[in-house]
Amino acid sequence: MSTTRTVMWWSRLPLDLLKMVKSTYLLVYLIFLSLSFWAEMAIVRNPNVESNAMVDVGVVLDLSSKVGKMAEMCVSMAWSDFYAAHANYKTRLVLHKRDSKGDVVGAASVALELLKNVEVQAIIGPQRSAEAKFVTHLGRKAHVPILSFSATSPSLSPKHSPYFVRTTLDDSSQVKAIAAIVDAFGWREVVPINEDTDFGNGMIPYLIDAFQGIDTRVPYRSVIPPTASDLQILEELNKLATMQTRVFVVHMTASLGSRLFKYAHKAEMMSDGYAWIITDGLSMILDPMNPSAVDSMQGVLGIQPYIPKSKSLHDFHMRWKRGILLKNPNSMTNELNHFGIWAYDTIWALAMAVERVGGMNSRFSKTETGKNSTDLATLGISEIGERLLKTILNTRFKGLSGEFHLVEGQLQSSAFEIFNVIGKGERVIGYWTPKRGLSRGFDTVDKIIAYSTSNANLKDPIWPGDSRTTPKGWAVPIKGKKLIIGVPVKKGFREFVKVERDSHTNKTTFEGFSKDVFLAVLDTLPFALPYEFKPYMKPDGSSNGSYDELVKEVKLQNFDAVVGDITIVANRSSYVDFTLPYSESGVSMVVLIKDDETKNAWIFLKPLSWDLWLTTGAAFIFTGVVVWILEHRLNTEFRGPRGQQLGMMLWFSFSTLVFAHSNCPYTTIYIVKVLSQV
């Protein structure tokens, strides 16, 4: 129906109008063809306009590893994003990817093939420090820059290998941050645990020097081969558990590190009193690790380079996740780490440098060799390699990782992020910068005046064993047992020792002054001392014996020590050692405390009793009344107002104690007569 209506609608149009529309379309088409023709002629005739120059670049990765797969995708995305943003550039990188298969010889072989057959002008990779060590010699011979975003060993230095460019951080850049953490918590002994590779061994001398700078000893160094069996790892951990040190710094790759923490958990070394610190080589790839391995790392402290958040980084992260899900929906690698971000920035830095140098003369000059020459002897020399190297070293821009700036051939660090492994994720507890030291928040770094290594500038971490108490750093080397502390049970005076058992939960509680003294002594020790209180009592809850028998249990090695109100006597001292007395002993008498009454103003009242004082007062009143009765009618002094009469009566009674009333002899005699009659 719709087709019929359309035909009918067109059929109603005038014929002249149809002809005009057809002519317009034909004219536009001819104009478009003409413009295209003249544009092509202009490109051919104009010598200043040229096609893109292709520059061959090798990419050597271990495509069987999670980091290699992630880096491969980041490199491809970086290439697409760069030329989408710089469509006017006259050069283009041509990426030739090769798989090293995680082997040193394999990496050298593919690098040699790229230099000899493809004649690449730069190589990105290899992925590991051991692989890059030989490839850098090839780059130096061919004058081809070797850019590595993941070879972090300090033993591989751009100072010794001029054509080696490290677009990642050197492992030695983090040792001061680790030393600041150790100093902040007051640990004075640390044991490094590293894998026996160029990556693992390269940082250890720098780490030991940093510990010496804060007066921290390294009594032992644990080196584990990457090919170590599970039994070898467990034996090494058991050896560490018998030592005093309880602080460990782990520097190894994820494959070996996940196994180490798995067996450390089985060896009960991820419990209260232990402290573990992991370097960025392991912390930056926690996300791709097995979840069970992360579960065994609860309470671990880690550091990793700080990458500031930005909109471009967030957008790239989202696009990268979508690309991973589209490429492999079942992939477990869904988190982007620092190596992938540095691989992205490496492509941008190389593309910028190639554009500045130009790629028209990107070829190798061959040297004359004999017929029996080796592949290395027939290797040519890049004509733009030296200029390209200098340009790369001077390239500076703002990338996904922040400011891309190379100093002496390698990327420089600005800050490190300190985190605590909790649950399935990481909790950031602070930051470290070379100038300011430790800080709780990165936005407050610039507000700190001086370099600080105080743990007050960090958030409180949760330590292994779900403990919030900071480990002391070393303990008495007791493997598999705790000190058994005997506690006496008695019914009498319980202020020193009080032992109670809950009949419902069958749990025994210990209280008293002796226990408090024991715990106070433990707090002053510079090391941890595992202990367990055990009551010296029978199953029915009564005492199992006398104090002498309890002390003998120490000699019989049934108890390691006894805590209680044990009196120091000669027979007990013959087979046990006592601490210094913390309470006085001997016979004492308890008396009431009396005040010093000599300083009392009313002391004159003490010689007479209250009954005598009341009798004396009653006699004064009686005498005054009798005198008033006798003198009231004759003596005018005892007359007048009632108040005056009462005062005179009392005054006369009181005055008889002080002086005799000589002016009233009659009255006195009369009183005597009356009293005698009474």
Side-chain angles (χ1 to χ4, degrees), residues 573-593:
S573 301
S574 62
Y575 44 83
V576 295
D577 292 328
F578 285 90
T579 63
L580 293 176
Y582 53 85
S583 64
E584 293 183 359
S585 61
V587 179
S588 302
M589 181 174 63
V590 180
V591 296
L592 294 176
I593 298 176

Side-chain angles (χ1 to χ4, degrees), residues 148-165:
S148 179
F149 57 86
S150 57
T152 59
S153 175
S155 61
L156 189 64
S157 174
K159 295 180 180 179
H160 305 131
S161 302
Y163 280 86
F164 173 68
V165 179

Side-chain angles (χ1 to χ4, degrees), residues 206-433:
Y206 298 91
L207 187 64
I208 294 176
D209 290 343
F211 287 153
Q212 289 178 349
I214 60 172
D215 196 21
T216 297
R217 294 179 58 248
V218 179
Y220 179 74
R221 174 185 168 189
S222 177
V223 182
I224 301 177
T227 58
S229 63
D230 295 342
L231 181 60
Q232 289 176 320
I233 296 176
L234 189 58
E235 289 178 351
E236 182 65 20
L237 290 173
N238 289 331
K239 182 179 180 181
L240 294 175
T242 60
M243 298 181 180
Q244 295 179 344
T245 309
R246 291 292 182 265
V247 182
F248 306 100
V249 177
V250 181
H251 180 58
M252 53 184 55
T253 56
S255 58
L256 185 59
S258 58
R259 296 170 57 203
L260 175 74
F261 281 101
K262 175 183 176 181
Y263 287 100
H265 189 271
K266 290 184 178 180
E268 298 182 355
M269 296 179 66
M270 300 301 299
S271 57
D272 187 13
Y274 285 88
W276 295 81
I277 303 174
I278 58 176
T279 61
D280 60 1
L282 184 57
S283 62
M284 289 191 299
I285 51 180
L286 278 179
D287 294 324
M289 290 177 64
N290 193 325
S292 62
V294 179
D295 291 339
S296 63
M297 299 173 63
Q298 299 301 303
V300 171
L301 294 184
I303 65 170
Q304 60 185 2
Y306 172 73
I307 293 182
K309 297 180 180 179
S310 62
K311 185 178 183 303
S312 58
L313 178 60
H314 179 268
D315 294 342
F316 173 75
H317 197 178
M318 299 304 295
R319 291 191 295 113
W320 187 83
K321 280 189 174 182
R322 287 196 296 268
I324 285 290
L325 294 176
L326 291 175
K327 186 177 181 180
N328 186 5
N330 298 324
S331 175
M332 298 297 295
T333 308
N334 55 3
E335 292 295 334
L336 181 67
N337 62 33
H338 294 61
F339 291 125
I341 298 174
W342 286 324
Y344 185 96
D345 289 347
T346 301
I347 291 293
W348 276 61
L350 181 58
M352 290 180 181
V354 167
E355 177 66 18
R356 294 173 185 172
V357 172
M360 296 305 296
N361 297 324
S362 58
R363 59 179 181 270
F364 277 44
S365 59
K366 300 294 182 179
T367 57
E368 296 183 0
T369 58
K371 294 181 180 180
N372 297 326
S373 300
T374 61
D375 290 340
L376 292 177
T378 58
L379 197 62
I381 297 177
S382 173
E383 295 183 357
I384 66 170
E386 186 175 354
R387 286 185 296 149
L388 180 60
L389 175 64
K390 293 180 180 179
T391 307
I392 293 173
L393 297 178
N394 294 326
T395 299
R396 191 168 184 173
F397 65 98
K398 188 173 181 59
L400 293 182
S401 61
E403 187 69 22
F404 185 91
H405 176 49
L406 300 176
V407 177
E408 295 182 351
Q410 59 187 11
L411 197 66
Q412 296 300 300
S413 63
S414 58
F416 281 92
E417 190 176 72
I418 305 171
F419 64 89
N420 188 203
V421 179
I422 301 175
K424 297 181 180 180
E426 306 165 1
R427 171 176 170 261
V428 177
I429 63 172
Y431 300 88
W432 178 88
T433 58

